[in-house]
Amino acid sequence: MEPLYQQTHKQVHEIQSHMGRLETADKQSLHLVEKEIQASIDQVFSRLERLEILSSKEPPNKKQNAKLRVDQLKYDAQHLQTALRNFQHRRYAREQQERQREELLSRTFTTNDSDTTIPMDESLQFNSSLHNIHHGMDDLIGGGHSILEGLRAQRLTLKGTQKKILDIANMLGLSNTVMRLIEKRAFQDKYLMIGGMLLTCVVMFLVVQYLT
C-alpha cells in the first residue's frame, strides 16, 4: 500500500503546482492544460479507490491510520476538482462576454429616411451593465458551488473520522456516556452544516434579487 500511497500523494502535489499554469497559459494551449489536469485528477481518484481497498486489508493496529491518510488525500483531490471546475466556469463566462461584445461592435447600424439616430452610448452602457451582472452572478454561483462542495467533502471526512473515533473508543473501553456525547456532537454538527448551506442559498437568492 505504501508505494501506491506515495505515488498518489506526489501526483496530488504535482496537480497543485500545475493549477498555476491555468492562469498563465494562452488561449491556444489552455484547453490542453485543462485536459491534462483533469486526466491527472481522474487518475488520482482511480488510485484512491485502490487505496481504500488496500487500507481495509491493513492489520488492525495500522488500519485506522491508513484510512485517515487515504481520506486526507481524497479531500485534497476533491478540492482540486472543485477548483478546476470553478476556473472552467469563469473561463466560459469570459468567452461568452467576449463573443457578445464582438457581435455588438461588429453590428452594422443604418439610418432611415426620417434621419433616425441610434443611441449607441446607451446601448453600450446597457450591454456593459448586463455583462457585469452576468459576471457577478457567475462568480457568485461559482463561489457558492465551491462552498457546497467543500462542505460536502468535510461532511464525508467528519463522518469517516467519527466512525474511526467510535471504533477506537470501543477498543479503549470508553464509557457509553462519552460515546453518546460524541454522537450528540456529530448530530449537532450535521444540522449546523445544513443550516450553513441554507444560509448560503438565501444569501445567493437575495444577491440575485438585488442585481436583477
Side-chain angles (χ1 to χ4, degrees), residues 103-190:
E103 290 176 359
L104 179 64
L105 295 177
S106 62
R107 186 179 302 171
T108 303
F109 294 94
T110 59
T111 58
N112 53 23
D113 295 336
S114 59
D115 196 25
T116 302
T117 59
I118 299 176
M120 287 292 296
D121 292 339
E122 294 181 3
S123 298
L124 289 174
Q125 184 177 1
F126 175 78
N127 188 71
S128 178
S129 299
L130 187 62
H131 285 166
N132 291 335
I133 292 175
H134 283 309
H135 182 70
M137 286 297 302
D138 290 336
D139 290 342
L140 182 62
I141 293 173
H145 179 74
S146 178
I147 292 173
L148 292 177
E149 288 290 340
L151 288 173
R152 188 178 296 109
Q154 290 179 14
R155 178 178 178 274
L156 293 174
T157 303
L158 289 174
K159 184 177 180 181
T161 304
Q162 175 199 358
K163 184 178 182 301
K164 295 177 179 63
I165 292 175
L166 292 176
D167 292 339
I168 295 173
N170 288 327
M171 294 173 60
L172 296 177
L174 294 180
S175 65
N176 291 332
T177 302
V178 175
M179 294 177 65
R180 283 196 299 269
L181 289 175
I182 293 174
E183 292 177 351
K184 182 179 179 181
R185 179 57 185 272
F187 184 76
Q188 292 173 348
D189 290 343
K190 176 181 178 181

Side-chain angles (χ1 to χ4, degrees), residues 11-73:
Q11 189 173 18
V12 168
H13 282 281
E14 289 176 350
I15 296 173
Q16 290 174 342
S17 63
H18 290 165
M19 291 293 290
R21 295 170 56 193
L22 294 172
E23 301 295 340
T24 58
D26 53 35
K27 292 183 179 181
Q28 288 73 20
S29 60
L30 184 57
H31 291 280
L32 180 60
V33 174
E34 289 180 357
K35 289 182 179 179
E36 291 177 353
I37 293 177
Q38 184 60 63
S40 298
I41 293 176
D42 292 339
Q43 187 177 21
V44 166
F45 278 116
S46 178
R47 288 180 172 178
L48 285 171
E49 292 179 359
R50 178 61 179 166
L51 282 172
E52 287 181 334
I53 297 174
L54 293 176
S55 64
S56 64
K57 298 180 180 179
E58 286 288 298
N61 60 332
K62 296 182 179 180
K63 183 179 295 185
Q64 299 297 333
N65 184 52
K67 288 184 176 180
L68 286 174
R69 296 169 72 193
V70 173
D71 286 343
Q72 182 60 49
L73 276 182

